[in-house]
Amino acid sequence: MCFDGQLWSDLDTSNFYRDITAKALVNIITSAGPFVKDLNLRGCVQLKEQWNKNGFIDACQNLENFSLEGCRIDRTSIHCFLLQNSRLVHVNLSGLAGATNAAMKILASNCPRVEVLNISWCTNIDNRGLKKVVEGCPKLRDLRAGEVRGWDDVDLMVELFKRNTLERLVLKNCDSLNDDSLAALVEGIDEEVDVLTDRPIVPPRKLKHLDLTRCRSITDTGLKTLVDNAPHLEGLQVSKCGGLTDDSLMALVPTLPILTHLDIEELDSLTNEVLKTLAESPCASHLRHLCISYCETLGDAGMLPVLKACSKLASLEMDNTRISDLVLTEAAASMRNRNRAARGLQASERPEVSLRIEAYDCANVTWTGVREVLSRNAEITRPSPNSVNRTATYPREIIRLKCFHNWQPTVDEHTKRVLRGDFAAAARLERKWADWMMLNEEAGVGGAGARRRRRRAREAQMMHADEEEGGAGATGGVGRRRRARSGPGGCIVM
């Protein structure tokens, strides 16, 4: 039955490409070729010697979605696929050395329906091939061309400006992109200028996602061209663009009303004023992902307003910043407010993670801030004696926290218990960890009683370790176990 072509209109090998032999895969594709519309061969390196055998390529002539990412394929075979499939809509050639400007020329002349093209890391493609694609594929809306050379070609950018069809543009590691070419993409060349604002009068761009990660030649001048020209932008990534400062971001962010993803990692020149501007912008109610990692000047003054204003945050990356326990406490409080607004858990339901926070390598974050997050995650709201509803309320949404590596095993175990609905065990683990941490701090203080404090700290550590392993003999838990230890009178190796 597996060789019945009618079963294979969609052939996606991503879940089994490591387990299937080249011969079996060739047999399936050869048999199903005329029926296959979606073909994903990502990572199928076993086909290296099979492309030109047994009519393998000739069998596929009705493809619409096609991915060869990570395959070992020669340029001739790539050309054959493109020549025989004029209905292609989605093409992924990422990382292929055999993908060249010649392949782009074939794509442009033979596949006018292409809407999504991924040629990231294709070192043999540059602006000459891209220009052919832009001219020959009028429906192109998603272009991913990370580390492709030639983005300083103003003529290419002007052609993209005239088309204005791009909704996603990914240009990671494109050092050739500069302020002039970005301005040509957004504002064109020699367009009519508004005498009041001294800015070109151009139609707004249709861009929804723009990734300029590691485009090191971009400065505030280039980024400012997006101001008021990209009202549909939902995702903006400008990480590691060292030339950017507060000036451009404070001007741009308020003009992006539906921004949901903002990545400004490793921009050393930013200050907390950028985050305050973000909190006051129209997009605050839509923001779901924020990354400020390695922005070493950002801290509580900027993050606290963001947490109060951005109620839909689902991902927050703040490692190597100056945030403190106040930010974690505010995040825990915001999650508590979300839970109050949501209906309570039913008997068969379990909590789910709705906010992921990364806060490792933050010198001002201590165990008390981490404990606040753990406490709120397992918090059970008891009704007042005069309340009509006497049932307790359990948290529906929780925070998954990544913190200092020595604390992470405890945090992970606590989260695991909360997600399975074992709130009592989670609270017990948090309490014993807190006892250990407090006694451990006391044990570090010299003076009278130091030896006794160190002994108490060791005992607290052993109790916490037992709890983290799942041990709780007094509760009669099922499937729990204690960690075996050698003590006085135990095993002695001679």
Side-chain angles (χ1 to χ4, degrees):
M1 288 180 63
C2 74
F3 295 117
D4 184 349
Q6 298 178 74
L7 300 176
W8 294 106
S9 62
D10 181 355
L11 179 51
D12 185 352
T13 64
S14 57
N15 292 326
F16 57 86
Y17 69 94
R18 290 188 179 92
D19 305 316
I20 189 169
T21 63
K23 183 178 180 181
L25 192 54
V26 169
N27 286 341
I28 291 176
I29 296 175
T30 304
S31 302
F35 298 93
V36 177
K37 292 184 178 180
D38 301 339
L39 180 61
N40 183 0
L41 297 177
R42 181 179 180 273
C44 292
V45 295
Q46 65 268 43
L47 293 174
K48 181 179 179 181
E49 307 295 336
Q50 306 295 326
W51 300 106
N52 297 313
K53 295 181 179 179
N54 302 320
F56 177 32
I57 295 178
D58 296 336
C60 300
Q61 298 190 11
N62 295 305
L63 298 180
E64 294 179 3
N65 300 324
F66 182 44
S67 176
L68 288 176
E69 181 180 353
C71 290
R72 296 175 182 174
I73 182 171
D74 59 278
R75 56 183 294 178
T76 304
S77 299
I78 295 176
H79 295 175
C80 290
F81 270 117
L82 297 178
L83 285 168
Q84 293 178 175
N85 294 278
S86 59
R87 301 178 184 177
L88 283 172
V89 175
H90 185 295
V91 180
N92 184 358
L93 304 176
S94 177
L96 299 185
T100 63
N101 287 332
M104 295 299 97
K105 185 176 180 180
I106 294 171
L107 182 74
S109 61
N110 195 58
C111 308
R113 299 184 183 181
V114 169
E115 297 180 13
V116 180
L117 176 62
N118 188 348
I119 52 172
S120 296
W121 325 114
C122 292
T123 55
N124 293 317
I125 296 177
D126 58 23
N127 55 304
R128 293 170 295 177
L130 283 167
K131 196 177 296 184
K132 295 289 185 183
V133 172
V134 174
E135 293 171 353
C137 302
K139 296 183 179 180
L140 187 66
R141 58 178 176 81
D142 188 332
L143 178 59
R144 308 180 193 194
E147 209 164 291
V148 170
R149 294 169 285 112
W151 286 103
D152 53 350
D153 185 346
V154 174
D155 293 336
L156 168 62
M157 291 306 204
V158 170
E159 191 64 33
L160 284 170
F161 166 79
K162 292 177 180 177
R163 297 277 180 170
N164 195 18
T165 58
L166 283 184
E167 296 179 3
R168 179 186 295 267
L169 180 60
V170 178
L171 301 179
K172 291 182 179 180
N173 294 328
C174 291
D175 287 336
S176 58
L177 182 70
N178 55 38
D179 291 340
D180 292 337
S181 55
L182 182 58
L185 171 68
V186 178
E187 297 179 338
I189 297 291
D190 298 330
E191 298 295 322
E192 183 182 355
V193 176
D194 189 329
V195 294
L196 296 178
T197 62
D198 197 30
R199 295 173 60 89
I201 303 174
V202 296
R205 302 297 92 190
K206 294 183 179 179
L207 280 171
K208 294 182 178 179
H209 185 92
L210 179 62
D211 189 346
L212 303 179
T213 301
R214 290 193 186 90
C215 293
R216 299 180 181 89
S217 300
I218 295 297
T219 67
D220 287 340
T221 303
L223 197 64
K224 277 186 175 180
T225 60
L226 290 167
V227 175
D228 293 320
N229 286 327
H232 309 296
L233 202 64
E234 298 177 13
L236 176 63
Q237 294 173 264
V238 288
S239 297
K240 303 177 179 67
C241 296
L244 300 182
T245 66
D246 290 359
D247 189 27
S248 58
L249 287 169
M250 290 177 67
L252 175 60
V253 169
T255 68
L256 307 177
I258 57 174
L259 187 70
T260 61
H261 289 65
L262 178 61
D263 194 333
I264 50 177
E265 180 179 356
E266 210 171 307
L267 300 186
D268 299 331
S269 302
L270 297 188
T271 68
N272 286 313
E273 295 304 315
V274 169
L275 296 180
K276 292 178 182 178
T277 301
L278 175 63
E280 297 169 357
S281 299
C283 64
S285 59
H286 300 280
L287 195 69
R288 295 186 56 81
H289 170 81
L290 175 63
C291 176
I292 61 169
S293 298
Y294 292 91
C295 295
E296 297 179 359
T297 58
L298 302 187
D300 295 350
M303 278 309 306
L304 290 175
V306 168
L307 285 169
K308 291 175 181 177
C310 303
S311 58
K312 293 183 180 180
L313 270 177
S315 174
L316 187 54
E317 300 177 17
M318 305 178 291
D319 47 289
N320 284 277
T321 59
R322 292 187 179 180
I323 65 156
S324 71
D325 294 339
L326 289 174
V327 169
L328 295 186
T329 302
E330 182 61 36
S334 66
M335 190 56 59
R336 186 184 191 190
N337 293 335
R338 290 192 201 182
N339 284 316
R340 283 178 174 174
R343 64 182 180 83
L345 287 176
Q346 303 299 319
S348 59
E349 294 179 316
R350 293 290 180 265
E352 60 182 18
V353 175
S354 63
L355 176 58
R356 289 173 168 80
I357 295 179
E358 292 187 9
Y360 57 87
D361 291 341
C362 296
N364 297 326
V365 171
T366 69
W367 69 271
T368 54
V370 174
R371 186 193 181 189
E372 184 67 22
V373 173
L374 301 187
S375 177
R376 294 297 186 191
N377 279 350
E379 184 179 42
I380 303 173
T381 305
R382 304 289 180 183
S384 62
N386 299 327
S387 175
V388 177
N389 186 4
R390 295 301 183 90
T391 58
T393 303
Y394 298 90
R396 172 175 290 276
E397 302 178 12
I398 67 168
I399 297 173
R400 185 185 293 277
L401 178 64
K402 187 174 182 180
C403 57
F404 181 51
H405 65 91
N406 276 1
W407 305 336
Q408 195 61 47
T410 297
V411 173
D412 290 342
E413 176 63 25
H414 187 276
T415 304
K416 189 189 303 180
R417 296 184 184 192
V418 171
L419 289 176
R420 70 171 182 246
D422 198 347
F423 295 100
R428 191 168 57 246
L429 174 62
E430 176 231 321
R431 185 174 62 252
K432 291 188 176 182
W433 181 60
D435 291 343
W436 169 45
M437 293 298 293
M438 286 188 289
L439 290 170
N440 197 43
E441 287 182 352
E442 292 176 6
V445 181
R451 182 179 298 177
R452 182 173 64 254
R453 289 194 295 270
R454 287 195 294 271
R455 186 183 71 249
R456 290 173 59 200
R458 286 195 298 271
E459 291 172 353
Q461 181 180 5
M462 293 175 67
M463 291 178 64
H464 163 59
D466 278 335
E467 181 61 42
E468 198 170 24
E469 285 290 323
T475 62
V478 180
R480 304 276 176 92
R481 61 186 176 85
R482 287 183 178 272
R483 179 185 295 168
R485 289 186 179 84
S486 297
C491 178
I492 300 176
V493 179
M494 300 300 292

